[in-house]
Amino acid sequence: MRITRVLSTALLLAGLAATPAMADSSPSASPSDDSSAPTQAGTSFRTATELDQGQTGTASGSTGDYLYWSFAADAGQRPTVKATVKLPDTHAGETWQLDVYDGLRRRQACQYGASTRTAAQDATSLDLACTLRTVRAWSETWANDPLPGTYYVRLTVVDLQSSDLGLPVSTEVRVDSKDIGGSAAVDGSLAQPLTPGIAAKSASDDDSSSSSTSAALSSIEPDGGWSSGWWSDRWVWTGLGGVLAALAGIGGYALTRGSGRPRRVPPPGM
């Protein structure tokens, strides 16, 4: 009975600890209202159009243009960027490429997904995708790991015939993320997310009528703000491991201690 009670307690604690872990495996970005989604794209890093996760941004342009969007990604998220290019009715074969850069404008490698594809002459659309590595809360200065902050999406054609240059195209871009949870947690965090200044704002001094100009950071950020970087479900599993170890010790002692007083061994010759 005692062993059964110990195992029941362990299973109950395992079920309680698995609940937040299952929640972490679900997509972290809830669908946003498409009515507020952007309908244009920037032409450089500084003019990149801000895009919330879960939104589908659209833009019209010409073949040969560089189209830029920006979005925010926090620690523990694994962003996936998808783009659809609607091609003109008549065109030659052309190759499009989807690039993602972090807040330091370092190009991030795609963990998987077709970020470069070639459209045939009769193709009406082209789909591109790029799934980044999991965003880390902290990294070495020499590493190229994804860090919390602003990310930039660049969509452009990289190979086409001169006769197709300037033809009208329309594009759709969407960013979603999966929350990886404590398996990607690290012991450290950035002092501030990598959100470079992209504009200038006028700040008035309360004590005087003079105004000064200061750099304004990107206004886009994840839902609920940036995470502190120290909490993850890894703490839950660590605590659960300690409890299970204690229960295992108690169960082992109960099995090996014996159920009565030791027998007296008669002396030799009796």
Side-chain angles (χ1 to χ4, degrees), residues 24-30 53-54 71-74 76-81 131-133 135 174-180 222:
D24 287 339
S25 63
S26 61
S28 61
S30 58
Q53 292 191 25
F71 66 95
D74 205 358
Q77 293 183 343
R78 181 182 293 169
T80 297
V81 183
T131 298
L132 301 180
R133 295 170 293 167
V135 178
R174 182 182 178 88
V175 181
D176 294 292
S177 289
K178 181 179 181 180
D179 195 346
I180 302 304

Side-chain angles (χ1 to χ4, degrees), residues 155-206:
L155 179 64
T156 188
V157 62
V158 294
D159 184 18
L160 80 164
Q161 296 184 8
S162 58
S163 58
D164 289 345
L165 188 63
L167 293 178
V169 294
S170 60
T171 60
E172 294 181 357
V173 173
R174 182 182 178 88
V175 181
D176 294 292
S177 289
K178 181 179 181 180
D179 195 346
I180 302 304
S183 60
V186 295
D187 295 330
S189 61
L190 298 179
Q192 294 291 338
L194 301 178
T195 53
I198 58 173
K201 64 179 180 180
S202 178
S204 300
D205 191 352
D206 295 337

Side-chain angles (χ1 to χ4, degrees), residues 6-82:
V6 170
L7 294 177
S8 300
T9 305
L11 292 175
L12 177 61
L13 292 175
L16 294 176
T19 301
M22 293 176 62
D24 287 339
S25 63
S26 61
S28 61
S30 58
S32 302
D33 186 6
D34 289 340
S35 61
S36 61
T39 57
Q40 60 182 0
T43 57
S44 66
F45 286 102
R46 293 180 59 86
T47 61
T49 300
E50 294 182 352
L51 183 67
D52 292 330
Q53 292 191 25
Q55 281 186 330
T56 301
T58 58
S60 298
S62 301
T63 307
D65 291 343
Y66 286 87
L67 305 178
Y68 287 83
W69 293 267
S70 65
F71 66 95
D74 205 358
Q77 293 183 343
R78 181 182 293 169
T80 297
V81 183
K82 296 181 180 180

Side-chain angles (χ1 to χ4, degrees), residues 65-268:
D65 291 343
Y66 286 87
L67 305 178
Y68 287 83
W69 293 267
S70 65
F71 66 95
D74 205 358
Q77 293 183 343
R78 181 182 293 169
T80 297
V81 183
K82 296 181 180 180
T84 300
V85 182
K86 297 180 180 179
L87 304 171
D89 297 336
T90 303
H91 63 87
E94 52 191 47
T95 303
W96 286 77
Q97 182 168 306
L98 178 70
D99 297 315
V100 182
Y101 299 83
D102 64 4
L104 299 178
R105 300 184 185 181
R106 304 176 302 182
R107 186 179 182 274
Q108 293 295 318
C110 300
Q111 189 175 25
Y112 52 86
S115 60
T116 302
R117 294 188 63 184
T118 300
Q121 295 184 3
D122 56 348
T124 59
S125 64
L126 185 67
D127 294 327
L128 303 170
C130 176
T131 298
L132 301 180
R133 295 170 293 167
T134 304
V135 178
R136 297 166 55 89
W138 177 85
S139 178
E140 297 287 350
T141 55
W142 47 263
N144 194 34
D145 296 323
L147 295 172
T150 302
Y151 283 78
Y152 297 94
V153 179
R154 184 177 72 181
L155 179 64
T156 188
V157 62
V158 294
D159 184 18
L160 80 164
Q161 296 184 8
S162 58
S163 58
D164 289 345
L165 188 63
L167 293 178
V169 294
S170 60
T171 60
E172 294 181 357
V173 173
R174 182 182 178 88
V175 181
D176 294 292
S177 289
K178 181 179 181 180
D179 195 346
I180 302 304
S183 60
V186 295
D187 295 330
S189 61
L190 298 179
Q192 294 291 338
L194 301 178
T195 53
I198 58 173
K201 64 179 180 180
S202 178
S204 300
D205 191 352
D206 295 337
D207 298 333
S208 62
S209 59
S210 61
S211 62
S212 59
T213 302
S214 60
L217 298 181
S218 174
S219 60
I220 193 171
E221 65 178 23
D223 294 338
W226 300 100
S227 64
S228 60
W230 69 271
W231 169 257
S232 69
D233 59 1
R234 183 175 59 173
W235 293 94
V236 178
W237 290 107
T238 301
L240 177 62
V243 173
L244 292 178
L247 294 176
I250 296 173
Y253 174 75
L255 290 174
T256 58
R257 69 172 183 171
S259 59
R261 298 178 62 182
R263 296 181 180 178
R264 295 183 59 184
V265 179

